[in-house]
Amino acid sequence: MSESTRVTFGTKLGILAATAGSAVGLGNVWRFPSETANGGGAIFVFIYLACVIFFGIPLVLAEFIIGRAGKANPAGAYRNLAPGKPFYFFGIFAVAAVMLISSFYMVVAGWTFDYFALALTGKLSNLTEPSAFKQIFADLANDTWRQTFWMAVSVISTAVIVGFGVKKGIESASKLMMPLLFLILLVMCVRAVTLPNAFEGLAFLFRPDLSHVTPQVFVSALGQAFFSLSLGMGCLITYASYFGPDVRLGKTAGQLAVVDTLVAVLAGMTIFSTAFSVAGTGSAEISEALSHGGPGLIFETLPQLFQALPLGQLWAALFFFLLILATITSAISLYEIGTAFLHEEFHCSRITSVILISAFTLVTGFLAAASLGGDSPLVFFGKTLFDWLDTITATWMMPIGGLFVSWFVGWYLDKKLVRSQLSNNDTTAIRFFRTYLFLLRYVAPIGIIIIFLVSLLK
Ligand code: PFF
């Protein structure tokens, strides 16, 4: 597609909503709060912010530069910027990683739809024993067809949005869904922090506790920044390929980081205030669930906590609706990468491309869901296929993708091009250009290699 005919996002708000839609997802709700509680409260938040500033934002900017200058899907963008060079395979790697991540992400998106339906129909209400909530989730995990049904609902919702195209589909949907998500989160957060004893939860979450600070905490903060900002998978490359020439990349990267962090902090405040208000400080089981995070926290502990509140059914339904918004806006960005790739590299129509991506994720998602059932054969070296897909993508492929990005923009790309992208052809002043290059060339790759090695040794 030629540069002049390439579609662009229509508005600045649309750009922020779409990029923040990709970033805000499960990472903000089930990882950040638990990492903060485990990592020394306010100290973790501080380390996380440092990681976002010194390491996340430079890589976000690098992906933006590749996307806007390359004007194509990740593979095409690398090829356009380095014709005849093997960098094309960096893009293929990103697309492959995205297909794998989608395979388990869509299963979880399906769970959120399932739980929303359970909450609406009152099936999460009137249960007294914690074991009843565990059983509900176990029933879902053991029922491959039920998971597949709800996954199909999320696949179709995502595919329809992506099928409508960049402006009418992705931008319009994000502009509607992200403000709604933010509003629901604010309402839930205000409700949670005004509950009796909510302060105990906030104190637990934010009290600086130096005794928790270990090298592992730095690694977790870096990994979290990476996952949460959707880095290393070509998501931001693809979205930036739809940025117009007047979009200020630095400002957009900053806004994206602020929104993503704010949502994570608000989600943490909501979850911890509710937990400490309902269960008190002494509940070992709840503390354990809070520090583990993940599906146990979201699908077993939280429904139990909401149920104990007045209007519990409403809070549970609102929470799972919020999660649907968060997962679908991230899923859209995952699907758009594969769609743009098939459309531009193999000349499939956009609709055919979306259908192929959806069919692929339905099959691989089905296998991932089936691996969770009791005696599934899809368990390898003690890990289910579902967990393998998560580990391979989040622990291995995302950091490697990030290394590729910092290598390409930090070392290979002509610095004049980098500068002109950041300054919109010298129409805006850029400060810190040298600092930026230093972060991208040295700090980011060294940080990534450390996360990678430590997570391999874990
Ligand atoms: N950033 C998303 C989250 O925090 O849940 C996850 C994600 C989406 C990662 C898209 C990577 C990606 F390409």
Side-chain angles (χ1 to χ4, degrees), residues 117-408:
L118 290 178
L120 278 186
T121 51
K123 302 231 169 63
L124 299 175
S125 313
N126 304 323
L127 302 171
T128 43
E129 289 304 311
S131 60
F133 290 94
K134 287 205 159 64
Q135 192 55 47
I136 291 183
F137 188 59
D139 288 346
L140 173 62
N142 281 313
D143 189 338
T144 307
W145 288 109
R146 185 171 137 202
Q147 293 187 76
T148 306
F149 171 77
W150 288 110
M151 179 177 61
V153 171
S154 20
V155 166
I156 292 168
S157 320
T158 309
V160 168
I161 296 172
V162 176
F164 270 103
V166 173
K167 241 187 214 164
K168 281 206 199 125
I170 299 175
E171 182 170 357
S172 309
S174 307
K175 265 167 54 182
L176 187 75
M177 290 163 88
M178 288 309 288
L180 191 57
L181 178 151
F182 206 69
L183 187 72
I184 297 177
L185 184 59
L186 266 185
V187 170
M188 294 199 70
C189 189
V190 169
R191 174 67 192 123
V193 298
T194 50
L195 287 170
N197 297 329
F199 181 75
E200 303 276 348
L202 296 180
F204 180 73
L205 188 62
F206 292 124
R207 188 187 303 121
D209 181 352
L210 278 170
S211 69
H212 279 69
V213 182
T214 57
Q216 184 61 42
V217 169
F218 284 85
V219 173
S220 307
L222 276 172
Q224 173 63 15
F226 221 86
F227 186 81
S228 194
L229 290 169
S230 302
L231 284 169
M233 301 255 134
C235 254
L236 301 177
I237 296 181
T238 311
Y239 273 9
S241 74
Y242 307 124
F243 287 3
D246 55 336
V247 175
R248 288 173 58 185
L249 300 187
K251 192 170 160 197
T252 311
Q255 288 171 339
L256 169 64
V258 168
V259 172
D260 188 50
T261 307
L262 192 62
V263 170
V265 170
L266 290 176
M269 289 168 63
T270 308
I271 292 172
F272 279 78
S273 305
T274 312
F276 278 76
S277 175
V278 172
T281 37
S283 165
E285 203 185 328
I286 300 283
S287 311
E288 165 103 355
L290 291 174
S291 54
H292 267 92
L297 171 63
I298 302 296
F299 297 102
E300 293 170 0
T301 310
L302 282 179
Q304 183 189 334
L305 295 172
F306 288 135
Q307 214 246 242
L309 296 179
L311 299 178
Q313 188 177 353
L314 171 78
W315 296 117
L318 265 184
F319 177 75
F320 287 109
F321 185 61
L322 180 147
L323 263 189
I324 289 179
L325 296 174
T327 42
I328 293 297
T329 46
S330 296
I332 295 171
S333 70
L334 293 168
Y335 270 36
E336 176 57 23
I337 300 169
T339 302
F341 175 73
L342 289 181
H343 179 49
E344 291 161 17
E345 302 299 303
F346 295 94
H347 308 293
C348 304
S349 76
R350 210 179 145 83
I351 298 296
T352 311
S353 308
V354 181
I355 293 175
L356 288 173
I357 300 293
S358 307
F360 178 88
T361 38
L362 269 178
V363 173
T364 50
F366 172 81
L367 295 174
S371 76
L372 297 173
D375 36 49
S376 168
L378 295 164
V379 176
F380 312 99
F381 304 104
K383 248 190 213 273
T384 60
L385 176 67
F386 182 96
D387 285 338
W388 272 116
L389 287 167
D390 184 2
T391 309
I392 290 173
T393 49
T395 317
W396 301 346
M397 295 181 93
M398 286 180 101
I400 294 176
L403 270 185
F404 288 165
V405 168
S406 72
W407 174 8
F408 187 73

Side-chain angles (χ1 to χ4, degrees), residues 13-195:
L13 179 69
I15 289 179
L16 181 61
T19 48
S22 172
V24 171
L26 296 169
N28 303 60
V29 184
W30 86 25
R31 267 183 69 155
F32 181 83
S34 312
E35 301 264 4
T36 307
N38 284 332
I43 305 273
F44 178 87
V45 176
F46 184 75
I47 298 172
Y48 177 78
L49 286 179
C51 291
V52 167
I53 292 169
F54 292 112
F55 164 90
I57 293 180
L59 284 170
V60 167
L61 270 176
E63 290 209 18
F64 280 174
I65 291 169
I66 300 176
R68 187 167 68 174
K71 292 251 169 287
N73 67 86
Y78 277 110
R79 191 199 37 236
N80 291 346
L81 294 173
K85 294 270 182 326
F87 289 115
Y88 179 73
F89 292 100
F90 287 3
I92 302 275
F93 177 88
V95 176
V98 155
M99 296 317 297
L100 297 181
I101 225 181
S102 313
S103 309
F104 75 89
Y105 212 85
M106 295 319 281
V107 176
V108 184
W111 295 349
T112 62
F113 273 99
D114 187 311
Y115 265 69
F116 179 58
L118 290 178
L120 278 186
T121 51
K123 302 231 169 63
L124 299 175
S125 313
N126 304 323
L127 302 171
T128 43
E129 289 304 311
S131 60
F133 290 94
K134 287 205 159 64
Q135 192 55 47
I136 291 183
F137 188 59
D139 288 346
L140 173 62
N142 281 313
D143 189 338
T144 307
W145 288 109
R146 185 171 137 202
Q147 293 187 76
T148 306
F149 171 77
W150 288 110
M151 179 177 61
V153 171
S154 20
V155 166
I156 292 168
S157 320
T158 309
V160 168
I161 296 172
V162 176
F164 270 103
V166 173
K167 241 187 214 164
K168 281 206 199 125
I170 299 175
E171 182 170 357
S172 309
S174 307
K175 265 167 54 182
L176 187 75
M177 290 163 88
M178 288 309 288
L180 191 57
L181 178 151
F182 206 69
L183 187 72
I184 297 177
L185 184 59
L186 266 185
V187 170
M188 294 199 70
C189 189
V190 169
R191 174 67 192 123
V193 298
T194 50
L195 287 170

